[in-house]
Amino acid sequence: MKTILVLHTGGTIAMEEDRETGVVKQQQQNPLMHYSPDLLGHVKLLVEDVFHLPSPHITPREMQTLQLLIDERARQQHLDGVVITHGTDTLEETAYFLELTLQTDIPVVLTGAMRSSNELGSDGLYNFLSAVKVASSEEAKNKGVLVVLNDEIHCATNVTKTHTSNVATFQSPQYGPIGIVTKRSVVFHQALLRRERYRISQAAKRVLLLKAHAGMDDMLLGAAEQLPLDGLVIEALGQGNLPPATVPALQRLLQRGVPIVIVSRCFNGIAQDVYSYEGGGKQLKELGVIFTNGLSGQKARLKLLVALEAAADVSEVARMFS
């Protein structure tokens, strides 16, 4: 008998559609609270309603609450896995935060739904059943935090929401899913080669995320200089380049000791210090800007937030991204 801890946090999977207006709204109680999937008696569910929040209301504070709760439960009792139901808008961010900070090796699986509980073609129950299957699978051990929807298993580091409403929204650009869920089994065909894990006591740093565009000047960066900023992530152009008008403000922020992380606004490829013109990646790297290895902007922001809590200085933060 496998024991799976189920943590409900809200989201579309816990909502319903108003038949008259078509709007989707929260219910007083999560419809999955008392649902027990038929897995031939092989799984025991321990169910907790941790939050009842739409995912845009989830912050690093709630993410850390989940991390502390899971690590505490894993220490106190025998668990074979954890399933978290979550709204899809920020699901990938919670999954990646847990990937960076959880101290347990038991399978932790996040799932959600694109259609609410009473909509035609609702996918919540099916995704929940698939997530329980994966969390109770022996093959899921030591694979890191996983995201399971639409019969696919993705790792938290690479997965992202790619469509506003399609049930196949969660994809891993460049890499694809690491496994699939079938009617009879859970099948893995690849895994991450390298994982990271950090111990942090809080997640309270102020890290800003900006997106570069043609003709970008120093207006937003100048405003950022006036903020009590701990770190900055920029989704840069191409392989990691910025318009030249941004460079003076970047230099001033770096001189203040604010770590600046560059990712690409492209969802395939990685940011690299290749171009040597004004604002090019080579110049930015020489100034002290940190380049990532394929993270999205939202995940780089979370990693910088965690790194600032875990590292002793900016040089150590830079090493965490290398």
Side-chain angles (χ1 to χ4, degrees):
M1 175 75 74
K2 293 292 183 74
T3 300
I4 304 297
L5 175 65
V6 176
L7 303 176
H8 293 307
T9 70
T12 299
I13 197 170
M15 296 181 184
E16 65 178 9
E17 182 185 57
D18 186 292
R19 297 298 191 189
E20 294 184 2
T21 65
V23 300
V24 176
K25 59 185 180 180
Q26 290 194 134
Q27 297 176 267
Q28 288 189 340
Q29 188 178 53
N30 190 317
L32 292 176
M33 273 298 293
H34 304 294
Y35 174 69
S36 182
D38 180 12
L39 292 178
L40 305 178
H42 296 319
V43 176
K44 175 185 177 183
L45 300 184
L46 306 176
V47 183
E48 298 186 31
D49 208 15
V50 186
F51 312 120
H52 197 48
L53 298 171
S55 62
H57 295 195
I58 297 289
T59 72
R61 180 176 58 189
E62 284 77 29
M63 296 176 193
Q64 189 172 38
T65 296
L66 289 170
Q67 176 257 311
L68 294 171
L69 179 60
I70 293 168
D71 280 330
E72 180 184 21
R73 293 289 190 276
R75 287 192 302 268
Q76 291 178 345
Q77 58 196 111
H78 172 75
L79 295 176
D80 295 289
V82 178
V83 169
I84 302 170
T85 64
H86 196 289
T88 58
D89 284 351
T90 60
L91 186 151
E92 66 194 80
E93 289 168 82
T94 296
Y96 186 59
F97 181 91
L98 295 175
E99 168 70 17
L100 292 174
T101 59
L102 277 174
Q103 304 302 307
T104 181
D105 289 319
I106 62 174
V108 175
V109 181
L110 282 83
T111 193
M114 294 302 293
R115 296 173 182 158
S116 58
S117 61
N118 65 336
E119 285 186 64
L120 185 65
S122 174
D123 53 333
L125 282 177
Y126 186 84
N127 286 337
F128 179 63
L129 175 60
S130 297
V132 172
K133 284 182 179 179
V134 173
S136 57
S137 166
E138 288 296 317
E139 289 75 18
K141 292 180 177 177
N142 300 309
K143 294 284 196 306
V145 175
L146 303 172
V147 171
V148 173
L149 291 97
N150 203 41
D151 284 335
E152 293 184 341
I153 308 168
H154 296 264
C155 65
T157 302
N158 296 328
V159 73
T160 190
K161 186 175 181 179
T162 65
H163 194 285
T164 58
S165 57
N166 196 305
V167 294
T169 181
F170 281 93
Q171 305 290 330
S172 295
Q174 294 195 97
Y175 307 105
I178 66 170
I180 59 173
V181 182
T182 73
K183 287 185 179 296
R184 295 183 176 85
S185 63
V186 173
V187 181
F188 287 93
H189 49 256
Q190 60 179 323
L192 280 180
L193 293 177
R194 179 173 173 263
R195 293 184 58 201
E196 303 170 77
R197 180 178 292 172
Y198 304 105
R199 289 185 182 274
I200 61 172
S201 58
Q202 61 179 353
K205 299 296 185 182
R206 295 183 179 91
V207 179
L208 186 64
L209 172 61
L210 297 178
K211 187 165 188 168
H213 55 82
M216 185 178 184
D217 57 23
D218 64 350
M219 181 176 66
L220 288 176
L221 291 168
E225 289 184 76
Q226 309 306 314
L227 301 175
L229 199 62
D230 297 306
L232 173 64
V233 176
I234 303 175
E235 289 189 9
L237 309 173
Q239 293 192 58
N241 312 302
L242 290 172
T246 64
V247 174
L250 291 178
Q251 287 178 300
R252 292 192 297 270
L253 284 167
L254 290 166
Q255 288 167 1
R256 257 179 56 187
V258 177
I260 299 174
V261 173
I262 287 287
V263 304
S264 176
R265 70 179 193 178
C266 304
F267 58 83
N268 280 314
I270 62 175
Q272 300 179 92
D273 54 325
V274 174
Y275 290 95
S276 61
Y277 50 72
E278 183 77 4
K282 187 174 188 301
Q283 183 197 37
L284 298 178
K285 187 72 174 287
E286 289 172 349
L287 290 176
V289 171
I290 302 166
F291 278 66
T292 61
N293 186 11
L295 287 177
S296 64
Q298 58 267 32
K299 290 182 182 177
R301 177 186 171 273
L302 283 172
K303 184 171 180 179
L304 181 53
L305 186 152
V306 169
L308 286 166
E309 299 286 3
D313 52 37
V314 174
S315 62
E316 189 177 350
V317 170
R319 286 195 294 273
M320 290 179 178
F321 281 89
S322 63

